Structure formats: C-alpha cells, structure tokens
Amino acid sequence: MEDITQVVLAKKRPTFITVLCILTFIWSGAYGILYLGYDYLTFEKTYPQKAGMFAETIENLEDAGQDSGMIYDGMIKAQYILEKTSQNLDTFYLANIFFALLSVLGAFLMFQMKKTGFYVYAGSNLFWMLVPVGIIGMEIGLVSIISTIAIAILFIILYGVNLKHME
C-alpha cells in the first residue's frame, strides 16, 4: 500500500480583500475610534470655542447683510449640529465609537478570511450610518447622508462579492 500524504495549504487572501481591510482599518480605526474618541474626550473643553466661533461668524454675516445664502445657511446648520451633539454627547460619540469598533472587528475577521467578519462588518456599518441621522436628524445634510450610505453599501457589496474566498 502506498502512503499518500496530503498537504493542506492555507487559503491565500486575495489582494482585493487586503486592500478593502486596510481601507476599513484606516477609516473605522483612525477616524471612527481615534478621532471620535479624542473629540469625545475634548468636546467639553473645545465646545465654548466652537460655539463662539459659529455665533461670531453668523453675527458678522448678518452685520454684512449676508444673512441668506449657502455660507450663512451652512453656518446655521453647523451651529445646530454642534448644539444637538452637545445635548446628546455620550449617546452620539459612544454609539459611533461602538460601531467603529465592530467595523474594525469585522474587517479583522475578514482579514483572517472568516465569513463571520462580513456579517459583523455589514451589520455594524448599516447601523453606524443611522447614528447621526437618529441623533441629530436630517439637518446633518442630504449630501452627507447619501455619501455615507453610498460608501457603506459599496464596501458591503465589495466585501460580499469576496465571500466566496472566505471560510
């Protein structure tokens, strides 16, 4: 009888999955966890300065007779977003950081070629994009909402197409 030894090679990760995971680590990790974490920890210290800057800019625009138009409307909207964020500080930041952590976890699992990572990533990103709208409202801006949804769905689709490579 002949002895046949079977060698099982680890599945090689496709380059595209590596690129997607790195982009996710950068966005969800650097922005979602580090920046939002820093912003959360320093919000109460920087809030008076930000609020004062918005109020001063709005007042200067009104004094100059430019109390309408895109710049003025943008400043009013930014002031409103700052106020809503201040009123819901813990909920806003902790929800964002929580979903960013889940997103990084999902990407890490997919980096290890595990399908469960896709479901963690997809679920976290579907809920993550609802946080600003749910807490601040539609005032966050239609362009911001649509671009966030489009990018999240694009990444979910791109990861989903590559599920066949994962275990």
mmCIF file of all heavy atoms in Angstrom, residues 14-59:
data_model
loop_
_atom_site.group_PDB
_atom_site.id
_atom_site.type_symbol
_atom_site.label_atom_id
_atom_site.label_comp_id
_atom_site.label_asym_id
_atom_site.label_seq_id
_atom_site.Cartn_x
_atom_site.Cartn_y
_atom_site.Cartn_z
ATOM 1 N N PRO A 14 -6.942 37.063 -1.114
ATOM 2 C CA PRO A 14 -6.843 37.880 -2.324
ATOM 3 C C PRO A 14 -6.406 39.310 -1.994
ATOM 4 O O PRO A 14 -6.756 39.846 -0.935
ATOM 5 C CB PRO A 14 -8.271 37.868 -2.888
ATOM 6 C CG PRO A 14 -8.898 36.648 -2.310
ATOM 7 C CD PRO A 14 -8.273 36.488 -0.954
ATOM 8 N N THR A 15 -5.661 39.893 -2.883
ATOM 9 C CA THR A 15 -5.154 41.254 -2.684
ATOM 10 C C THR A 15 -6.290 42.241 -2.468
ATOM 11 O O THR A 15 -6.169 43.159 -1.657
ATOM 12 C CB THR A 15 -4.297 41.678 -3.898
ATOM 13 O OG1 THR A 15 -3.272 40.718 -4.078
ATOM 14 C CG2 THR A 15 -3.688 43.046 -3.688
ATOM 15 N N PHE A 16 -7.383 42.046 -3.169
ATOM 16 C CA PHE A 16 -8.503 42.985 -3.068
ATOM 17 C C PHE A 16 -9.080 43.000 -1.649
ATOM 18 O O PHE A 16 -9.419 44.058 -1.119
ATOM 19 C CB PHE A 16 -9.585 42.648 -4.094
ATOM 20 C CG PHE A 16 -10.613 43.725 -4.239
ATOM 21 C CD1 PHE A 16 -10.256 44.993 -4.651
ATOM 22 C CD2 PHE A 16 -11.945 43.471 -3.952
ATOM 23 C CE1 PHE A 16 -11.201 46.006 -4.781
ATOM 24 C CE2 PHE A 16 -12.899 44.458 -4.078
ATOM 25 C CZ PHE A 16 -12.529 45.730 -4.493
ATOM 26 N N ILE A 17 -9.188 41.843 -1.017
ATOM 27 C CA ILE A 17 -9.670 41.786 0.364
ATOM 28 C C ILE A 17 -8.679 42.500 1.284
ATOM 29 O O ILE A 17 -9.084 43.233 2.192
ATOM 30 C CB ILE A 17 -9.902 40.329 0.822
ATOM 31 C CG1 ILE A 17 -11.090 39.734 0.064
ATOM 32 C CG2 ILE A 17 -10.139 40.262 2.334
ATOM 33 C CD1 ILE A 17 -11.370 38.286 0.377
ATOM 34 N N THR A 18 -7.404 42.317 1.040
ATOM 35 C CA THR A 18 -6.380 43.004 1.837
ATOM 36 C C THR A 18 -6.539 44.517 1.724
ATOM 37 O O THR A 18 -6.512 45.227 2.732
ATOM 38 C CB THR A 18 -4.962 42.582 1.374
ATOM 39 O OG1 THR A 18 -4.854 41.169 1.492
ATOM 40 C CG2 THR A 18 -3.890 43.261 2.196
ATOM 41 N N VAL A 19 -6.731 45.011 0.498
ATOM 42 C CA VAL A 19 -6.893 46.454 0.276
ATOM 43 C C VAL A 19 -8.151 46.967 0.981
ATOM 44 O O VAL A 19 -8.114 47.994 1.664
ATOM 45 C CB VAL A 19 -6.922 46.774 -1.232
ATOM 46 C CG1 VAL A 19 -7.333 48.219 -1.486
ATOM 47 C CG2 VAL A 19 -5.577 46.483 -1.867
ATOM 48 N N LEU A 20 -9.261 46.241 0.835
ATOM 49 C CA LEU A 20 -10.504 46.654 1.493
ATOM 50 C C LEU A 20 -10.331 46.697 3.020
ATOM 51 O O LEU A 20 -10.785 47.637 3.677
ATOM 52 C CB LEU A 20 -11.648 45.703 1.140
ATOM 53 C CG LEU A 20 -12.233 45.805 -0.264
ATOM 54 C CD1 LEU A 20 -13.232 44.682 -0.501
ATOM 55 C CD2 LEU A 20 -12.886 47.152 -0.477
ATOM 56 N N CYS A 21 -9.677 45.686 3.557
ATOM 57 C CA CYS A 21 -9.465 45.639 5.006
ATOM 58 C C CYS A 21 -8.585 46.788 5.479
ATOM 59 O O CYS A 21 -8.869 47.415 6.506
ATOM 60 C CB CYS A 21 -8.862 44.297 5.417
ATOM 61 S SG CYS A 21 -10.022 42.921 5.319
ATOM 62 N N ILE A 22 -7.538 47.083 4.743
ATOM 63 C CA ILE A 22 -6.652 48.195 5.114
ATOM 64 C C ILE A 22 -7.424 49.513 5.083
ATOM 65 O O ILE A 22 -7.304 50.336 6.002
ATOM 66 C CB ILE A 22 -5.403 48.245 4.205
ATOM 67 C CG1 ILE A 22 -4.490 47.057 4.533
ATOM 68 C CG2 ILE A 22 -4.656 49.571 4.357
ATOM 69 C CD1 ILE A 22 -3.353 46.850 3.562
ATOM 70 N N LEU A 23 -8.240 49.721 4.050
ATOM 71 C CA LEU A 23 -9.056 50.943 3.979
ATOM 72 C C LEU A 23 -10.029 51.012 5.155
ATOM 73 O O LEU A 23 -10.251 52.079 5.725
ATOM 74 C CB LEU A 23 -9.800 51.012 2.648
ATOM 75 C CG LEU A 23 -8.931 51.251 1.416
ATOM 76 C CD1 LEU A 23 -9.751 51.126 0.141
ATOM 77 C CD2 LEU A 23 -8.251 52.608 1.487
ATOM 78 N N THR A 24 -10.593 49.873 5.514
ATOM 79 C CA THR A 24 -11.508 49.834 6.657
ATOM 80 C C THR A 24 -10.764 50.122 7.957
ATOM 81 O O THR A 24 -11.267 50.863 8.813
ATOM 82 C CB THR A 24 -12.222 48.469 6.735
ATOM 83 O OG1 THR A 24 -12.959 48.265 5.531
ATOM 84 C CG2 THR A 24 -13.161 48.400 7.924
ATOM 85 N N PHE A 25 -9.560 49.554 8.121
ATOM 86 C CA PHE A 25 -8.767 49.824 9.325
ATOM 87 C C PHE A 25 -8.461 51.317 9.430
ATOM 88 O O PHE A 25 -8.527 51.901 10.514
ATOM 89 C CB PHE A 25 -7.459 49.035 9.333
ATOM 90 C CG PHE A 25 -7.628 47.545 9.434
ATOM 91 C CD1 PHE A 25 -6.751 46.698 8.791
ATOM 92 C CD2 PHE A 25 -8.656 46.975 10.182
ATOM 93 C CE1 PHE A 25 -6.882 45.319 8.877
ATOM 94 C CE2 PHE A 25 -8.802 45.597 10.278
ATOM 95 C CZ PHE A 25 -7.915 44.759 9.624
ATOM 96 N N ILE A 26 -8.142 51.925 8.302
ATOM 97 C CA ILE A 26 -7.816 53.357 8.305
ATOM 98 C C ILE A 26 -9.052 54.178 8.664
ATOM 99 O O ILE A 26 -9.012 55.028 9.548
ATOM 100 C CB ILE A 26 -7.226 53.794 6.949
ATOM 101 C CG1 ILE A 26 -5.846 53.171 6.751
ATOM 102 C CG2 ILE A 26 -7.158 55.319 6.847
ATOM 103 C CD1 ILE A 26 -5.286 53.328 5.348
ATOM 104 N N TRP A 27 -10.167 53.940 7.972
ATOM 105 C CA TRP A 27 -11.373 54.751 8.206
ATOM 106 C C TRP A 27 -11.984 54.462 9.579
ATOM 107 O O TRP A 27 -12.158 55.359 10.390
ATOM 108 C CB TRP A 27 -12.398 54.531 7.104
ATOM 109 C CG TRP A 27 -13.663 55.285 7.375
ATOM 110 C CD1 TRP A 27 -14.863 54.769 7.757
ATOM 111 C CD2 TRP A 27 -13.833 56.699 7.343
ATOM 112 N NE1 TRP A 27 -15.771 55.776 7.954
ATOM 113 C CE2 TRP A 27 -15.167 56.978 7.711
ATOM 114 C CE3 TRP A 27 -12.992 57.766 7.058
ATOM 115 C CZ2 TRP A 27 -15.679 58.265 7.782
ATOM 116 C CZ3 TRP A 27 -13.513 59.051 7.132
ATOM 117 C CH2 TRP A 27 -14.833 59.291 7.491
ATOM 118 N N SER A 28 -12.315 53.220 9.820
ATOM 119 C CA SER A 28 -13.002 52.882 11.072
ATOM 120 C C SER A 28 -12.075 53.011 12.274
ATOM 121 O O SER A 28 -12.507 53.436 13.346
ATOM 122 C CB SER A 28 -13.557 51.458 11.006
ATOM 123 O OG SER A 28 -14.532 51.354 9.995
ATOM 124 N N GLY A 29 -10.814 52.655 12.087
ATOM 125 C CA GLY A 29 -9.864 52.739 13.195
ATOM 126 C C GLY A 29 -9.398 54.152 13.460
ATOM 127 O O GLY A 29 -9.522 54.660 14.579
ATOM 128 N N ALA A 30 -8.852 54.801 12.431
ATOM 129 C CA ALA A 30 -8.283 56.136 12.624
ATOM 130 C C ALA A 30 -9.368 57.179 12.855
ATOM 131 O O ALA A 30 -9.297 57.965 13.802
ATOM 132 C CB ALA A 30 -7.413 56.524 11.440
ATOM 133 N N TYR A 31 -10.371 57.196 12.008
ATOM 134 C CA TYR A 31 -11.427 58.195 12.178
ATOM 135 C C TYR A 31 -12.418 57.765 13.263
ATOM 136 O O TYR A 31 -12.690 58.489 14.200
ATOM 137 C CB TYR A 31 -12.185 58.446 10.870
ATOM 138 C CG TYR A 31 -13.410 59.300 11.072
ATOM 139 C CD1 TYR A 31 -13.294 60.671 11.286
ATOM 140 C CD2 TYR A 31 -14.683 58.740 11.119
ATOM 141 C CE1 TYR A 31 -14.404 61.456 11.526
ATOM 142 C CE2 TYR A 31 -15.800 59.519 11.352
ATOM 143 C CZ TYR A 31 -15.663 60.881 11.556
ATOM 144 O OH TYR A 31 -16.762 61.649 11.795
ATOM 145 N N GLY A 32 -12.959 56.568 13.097
ATOM 146 C CA GLY A 32 -14.029 56.109 13.961
ATOM 147 C C GLY A 32 -13.643 55.940 15.410
ATOM 148 O O GLY A 32 -14.413 56.264 16.305
ATOM 149 N N ILE A 33 -12.473 55.433 15.654
ATOM 150 C CA ILE A 33 -12.075 55.174 17.046
ATOM 151 C C ILE A 33 -11.175 56.295 17.572
ATOM 152 O O ILE A 33 -11.486 56.917 18.595
ATOM 153 C CB ILE A 33 -11.371 53.804 17.174
ATOM 154 C CG1 ILE A 33 -12.334 52.680 16.772
ATOM 155 C CG2 ILE A 33 -10.850 53.606 18.601
ATOM 156 C CD1 ILE A 33 -11.685 51.327 16.607
ATOM 157 N N LEU A 34 -10.082 56.573 16.875
ATOM 158 C CA LEU A 34 -9.116 57.548 17.396
ATOM 159 C C LEU A 34 -9.639 58.986 17.365
ATOM 160 O O LEU A 34 -9.635 59.678 18.388
ATOM 161 C CB LEU A 34 -7.799 57.444 16.630
ATOM 162 C CG LEU A 34 -7.062 56.118 16.753
ATOM 163 C CD1 LEU A 34 -5.800 56.126 15.898
ATOM 164 C CD2 LEU A 34 -6.728 55.812 18.203
ATOM 165 N N TYR A 35 -10.096 59.440 16.193
ATOM 166 C CA TYR A 35 -10.547 60.837 16.097
ATOM 167 C C TYR A 35 -11.804 61.074 16.934
ATOM 168 O O TYR A 35 -11.872 62.028 17.701
ATOM 169 C CB TYR A 35 -10.799 61.246 14.646
ATOM 170 C CG TYR A 35 -11.441 62.603 14.552
ATOM 171 C CD1 TYR A 35 -10.695 63.751 14.798
ATOM 172 C CD2 TYR A 35 -12.800 62.747 14.287
ATOM 173 C CE1 TYR A 35 -11.284 65.003 14.762
ATOM 174 C CE2 TYR A 35 -13.391 63.989 14.255
ATOM 175 C CZ TYR A 35 -12.633 65.120 14.492
ATOM 176 O OH TYR A 35 -13.221 66.359 14.471
ATOM 177 N N LEU A 36 -12.817 60.212 16.765
ATOM 178 C CA LEU A 36 -14.049 60.410 17.529
ATOM 179 C C LEU A 36 -13.807 60.237 19.029
ATOM 180 O O LEU A 36 -14.409 60.937 19.837
ATOM 181 C CB LEU A 36 -15.152 59.470 17.042
ATOM 182 C CG LEU A 36 -15.728 59.813 15.671
ATOM 183 C CD1 LEU A 36 -16.712 58.740 15.216
ATOM 184 C CD2 LEU A 36 -16.384 61.180 15.658
ATOM 185 N N GLY A 37 -12.912 59.317 19.399
ATOM 186 C CA GLY A 37 -12.557 59.164 20.804
ATOM 187 C C GLY A 37 -11.912 60.417 21.361
ATOM 188 O O GLY A 37 -12.263 60.900 22.445
ATOM 189 N N TYR A 38 -10.984 60.982 20.594
ATOM 190 C CA TYR A 38 -10.319 62.224 21.006
ATOM 191 C C TYR A 38 -11.326 63.369 21.081
ATOM 192 O O TYR A 38 -11.335 64.153 22.041
ATOM 193 C CB TYR A 38 -9.191 62.574 20.026
ATOM 194 C CG TYR A 38 -8.557 63.911 20.309
ATOM 195 C CD1 TYR A 38 -7.630 64.059 21.337
ATOM 196 C CD2 TYR A 38 -8.884 65.031 19.551
ATOM 197 C CE1 TYR A 38 -7.043 65.291 21.607
ATOM 198 C CE2 TYR A 38 -8.320 66.267 19.821
ATOM 199 C CZ TYR A 38 -7.398 66.388 20.845
ATOM 200 O OH TYR A 38 -6.829 67.608 21.118
ATOM 201 N N ASP A 39 -12.176 63.476 20.066
ATOM 202 C CA ASP A 39 -13.179 64.541 20.024
ATOM 203 C C ASP A 39 -14.134 64.429 21.213
ATOM 204 O O ASP A 39 -14.521 65.433 21.812
ATOM 205 C CB ASP A 39 -13.944 64.485 18.701
ATOM 206 C CG ASP A 39 -14.519 65.829 18.302
ATOM 207 O OD1 ASP A 39 -13.919 66.867 18.642
ATOM 208 O OD2 ASP A 39 -15.578 65.844 17.645
ATOM 209 N N TYR A 40 -14.497 63.203 21.553
ATOM 210 C CA TYR A 40 -15.386 62.969 22.698
ATOM 211 C C TYR A 40 -14.723 63.422 24.004
ATOM 212 O O TYR A 40 -15.342 64.100 24.825
ATOM 213 C CB TYR A 40 -15.761 61.485 22.776
ATOM 214 C CG TYR A 40 -16.553 61.091 23.995
ATOM 215 C CD1 TYR A 40 -17.823 61.603 24.210
ATOM 216 C CD2 TYR A 40 -16.038 60.206 24.929
ATOM 217 C CE1 TYR A 40 -18.560 61.242 25.325
ATOM 218 C CE2 TYR A 40 -16.767 59.832 26.047
ATOM 219 C CZ TYR A 40 -18.036 60.360 26.243
ATOM 220 O OH TYR A 40 -18.751 60.000 27.350
ATOM 221 N N LEU A 41 -13.458 63.050 24.168
ATOM 222 C CA LEU A 41 -12.746 63.390 25.401
ATOM 223 C C LEU A 41 -12.473 64.889 25.545
ATOM 224 O O LEU A 41 -12.338 65.395 26.656
ATOM 225 C CB LEU A 41 -11.434 62.609 25.488
ATOM 226 C CG LEU A 41 -11.589 61.088 25.623
ATOM 227 C CD1 LEU A 41 -10.233 60.407 25.525
ATOM 228 C CD2 LEU A 41 -12.289 60.730 26.932
ATOM 229 N N THR A 42 -12.381 65.600 24.429
ATOM 230 C CA THR A 42 -12.053 67.029 24.479
ATOM 231 C C THR A 42 -13.250 67.929 24.169
ATOM 232 O O THR A 42 -13.102 69.151 24.143
ATOM 233 C CB THR A 42 -10.911 67.354 23.493
ATOM 234 O OG1 THR A 42 -11.334 67.035 22.158
ATOM 235 C CG2 THR A 42 -9.647 66.595 23.842
ATOM 236 N N PHE A 43 -14.423 67.345 23.921
ATOM 237 C CA PHE A 43 -15.582 68.126 23.470
ATOM 238 C C PHE A 43 -15.940 69.249 24.439
ATOM 239 O O PHE A 43 -16.131 70.390 24.026
ATOM 240 C CB PHE A 43 -16.808 67.222 23.245
ATOM 241 C CG PHE A 43 -17.957 67.947 22.606
ATOM 242 C CD1 PHE A 43 -18.041 68.049 21.233
ATOM 243 C CD2 PHE A 43 -18.953 68.545 23.380
ATOM 244 C CE1 PHE A 43 -19.091 68.718 20.632
ATOM 245 C CE2 PHE A 43 -20.005 69.219 22.798
ATOM 246 C CZ PHE A 43 -20.071 69.307 21.416
ATOM 247 N N GLU A 44 -16.054 68.931 25.706
ATOM 248 C CA GLU A 44 -16.477 69.950 26.676
ATOM 249 C C GLU A 44 -15.472 71.095 26.791
ATOM 250 O O GLU A 44 -15.847 72.222 27.079
ATOM 251 C CB GLU A 44 -16.740 69.302 28.028
ATOM 252 C CG GLU A 44 -17.992 68.435 27.991
ATOM 253 C CD GLU A 44 -18.323 67.797 29.330
ATOM 254 O OE1 GLU A 44 -17.707 68.183 30.357
ATOM 255 O OE2 GLU A 44 -19.196 66.919 29.343
ATOM 256 N N LYS A 45 -14.219 70.796 26.534
ATOM 257 C CA LYS A 45 -13.186 71.842 26.575
ATOM 258 C C LYS A 45 -13.249 72.719 25.326
ATOM 259 O O LYS A 45 -13.069 73.934 25.405
ATOM 260 C CB LYS A 45 -11.805 71.194 26.707
ATOM 261 C CG LYS A 45 -10.682 72.175 26.826
ATOM 262 C CD LYS A 45 -9.348 71.476 26.977
ATOM 263 C CE LYS A 45 -8.218 72.478 27.077
ATOM 264 N NZ LYS A 45 -6.930 71.817 27.198
ATOM 265 N N THR A 46 -13.499 72.112 24.168
ATOM 266 C CA THR A 46 -13.489 72.867 22.911
ATOM 267 C C THR A 46 -14.855 73.431 22.528
ATOM 268 O O THR A 46 -14.935 74.302 21.664
ATOM 269 C CB THR A 46 -12.982 71.980 21.753
ATOM 270 O OG1 THR A 46 -13.864 70.860 21.604
ATOM 271 C CG2 THR A 46 -11.563 71.515 21.995
ATOM 272 N N TYR A 47 -15.915 72.947 23.181
ATOM 273 C CA TYR A 47 -17.263 73.392 22.829
ATOM 274 C C TYR A 47 -17.446 74.904 22.904
ATOM 275 O O TYR A 47 -17.968 75.506 21.957
ATOM 276 C CB TYR A 47 -18.308 72.670 23.697
ATOM 277 C CG TYR A 47 -19.698 73.206 23.532
ATOM 278 C CD1 TYR A 47 -20.454 72.895 22.404
ATOM 279 C CD2 TYR A 47 -20.263 74.057 24.484
ATOM 280 C CE1 TYR A 47 -21.729 73.397 22.242
ATOM 281 C CE2 TYR A 47 -21.527 74.559 24.323
ATOM 282 C CZ TYR A 47 -22.263 74.229 23.203
ATOM 283 O OH TYR A 47 -23.521 74.740 23.038
ATOM 284 N N PRO A 48 -17.056 75.574 24.000
ATOM 285 C CA PRO A 48 -17.270 77.031 24.053
ATOM 286 C C PRO A 48 -16.592 77.783 22.900
ATOM 287 O O PRO A 48 -17.154 78.732 22.354
ATOM 288 C CB PRO A 48 -16.661 77.435 25.401
ATOM 289 C CG PRO A 48 -16.664 76.191 26.216
ATOM 290 C CD PRO A 48 -16.466 75.066 25.241
ATOM 291 N N GLN A 49 -15.392 77.339 22.543
ATOM 292 C CA GLN A 49 -14.671 77.997 21.447
ATOM 293 C C GLN A 49 -15.402 77.787 20.122
ATOM 294 O O GLN A 49 -15.584 78.725 19.342
ATOM 295 C CB GLN A 49 -13.252 77.453 21.359
ATOM 296 C CG GLN A 49 -12.444 78.060 20.235
ATOM 297 C CD GLN A 49 -11.078 77.387 20.081
ATOM 298 O OE1 GLN A 49 -10.748 76.456 20.794
ATOM 299 N NE2 GLN A 49 -10.308 77.855 19.130
ATOM 300 N N LYS A 50 -15.843 76.559 19.862
ATOM 301 C CA LYS A 50 -16.564 76.263 18.615
ATOM 302 C C LYS A 50 -17.885 77.029 18.566
ATOM 303 O O LYS A 50 -18.222 77.619 17.538
ATOM 304 C CB LYS A 50 -16.829 74.765 18.487
ATOM 305 C CG LYS A 50 -15.597 73.938 18.243
ATOM 306 C CD LYS A 50 -15.945 72.452 18.217
ATOM 307 C CE LYS A 50 -14.738 71.577 18.062
ATOM 308 N NZ LYS A 50 -15.072 70.144 18.114
ATOM 309 N N ALA A 51 -18.638 77.002 19.648
ATOM 310 C CA ALA A 51 -19.922 77.697 19.699
ATOM 311 C C ALA A 51 -19.732 79.201 19.493
ATOM 312 O O ALA A 51 -20.495 79.842 18.758
ATOM 313 C CB ALA A 51 -20.628 77.418 21.022
ATOM 314 N N GLY A 52 -18.703 79.753 20.130
ATOM 315 C CA GLY A 52 -18.405 81.171 19.969
ATOM 316 C C GLY A 52 -18.024 81.527 18.541
ATOM 317 O O GLY A 52 -18.434 82.568 18.021
ATOM 318 N N MET A 53 -17.243 80.652 17.916
ATOM 319 C CA MET A 53 -16.832 80.889 16.529
ATOM 320 C C MET A 53 -18.045 80.913 15.596
ATOM 321 O O MET A 53 -18.169 81.795 14.747
ATOM 322 C CB MET A 53 -15.853 79.815 16.074
ATOM 323 C CG MET A 53 -15.365 79.987 14.644
ATOM 324 S SD MET A 53 -14.474 78.547 14.012
ATOM 325 C CE MET A 53 -15.797 77.360 13.892
ATOM 326 N N PHE A 54 -18.951 79.946 15.776
ATOM 327 C CA PHE A 54 -20.150 79.915 14.930
ATOM 328 C C PHE A 54 -21.008 81.158 15.166
ATOM 329 O O PHE A 54 -21.475 81.792 14.218
ATOM 330 C CB PHE A 54 -20.976 78.650 15.191
ATOM 331 C CG PHE A 54 -20.365 77.398 14.621
ATOM 332 C CD1 PHE A 54 -20.293 76.247 15.385
ATOM 333 C CD2 PHE A 54 -19.869 77.356 13.325
ATOM 334 C CE1 PHE A 54 -19.736 75.087 14.865
ATOM 335 C CE2 PHE A 54 -19.304 76.209 12.805
ATOM 336 C CZ PHE A 54 -19.235 75.066 13.580
ATOM 337 N N ALA A 55 -21.223 81.511 16.426
ATOM 338 C CA ALA A 55 -22.048 82.681 16.747
ATOM 339 C C ALA A 55 -21.438 83.955 16.167
ATOM 340 O O ALA A 55 -22.148 84.794 15.595
ATOM 341 C CB ALA A 55 -22.222 82.797 18.255
ATOM 342 N N GLU A 56 -20.125 84.088 16.297
ATOM 343 C CA GLU A 56 -19.445 85.285 15.773
ATOM 344 C C GLU A 56 -19.538 85.348 14.252
ATOM 345 O O GLU A 56 -19.798 86.403 13.684
ATOM 346 C CB GLU A 56 -17.986 85.276 16.211
ATOM 347 C CG GLU A 56 -17.208 86.486 15.748
ATOM 348 C CD GLU A 56 -15.737 86.433 16.164
ATOM 349 O OE1 GLU A 56 -15.388 85.653 17.073
ATOM 350 O OE2 GLU A 56 -14.941 87.165 15.547
ATOM 351 N N THR A 57 -19.327 84.235 13.587
ATOM 352 C CA THR A 57 -19.399 84.201 12.129
ATOM 353 C C THR A 57 -20.805 84.534 11.654
ATOM 354 O O THR A 57 -20.982 85.310 10.708
ATOM 355 C CB THR A 57 -18.966 82.824 11.590
ATOM 356 O OG1 THR A 57 -17.646 82.544 12.065
ATOM 357 C CG2 THR A 57 -18.982 82.787 10.075
ATOM 358 N N ILE A 58 -21.813 83.963 12.313
ATOM 359 C CA ILE A 58 -23.207 84.251 11.939
ATOM 360 C C ILE A 58 -23.516 85.730 12.147
ATOM 361 O O ILE A 58 -24.123 86.384 11.288
ATOM 362 C CB ILE A 58 -24.165 83.346 12.744
ATOM 363 C CG1 ILE A 58 -24.028 81.896 12.264
ATOM 364 C CG2 ILE A 58 -25.612 83.824 12.623
ATOM 365 C CD1 ILE A 58 -24.681 80.861 13.153
ATOM 366 N N GLU A 59 -23.054 86.270 13.275
ATOM 367 C CA GLU A 59 -23.287 87.687 13.554
ATOM 368 C C GLU A 59 -22.596 88.576 12.513
ATOM 369 O O GLU A 59 -23.176 89.558 12.031
ATOM 370 C CB GLU A 59 -22.772 88.026 14.956
ATOM 371 C CG GLU A 59 -23.067 89.455 15.387
ATOM 372 C CD GLU A 59 -22.554 89.745 16.791
ATOM 373 O OE1 GLU A 59 -22.572 88.831 17.634
ATOM 374 O OE2 GLU A 59 -22.123 90.894 17.020
#
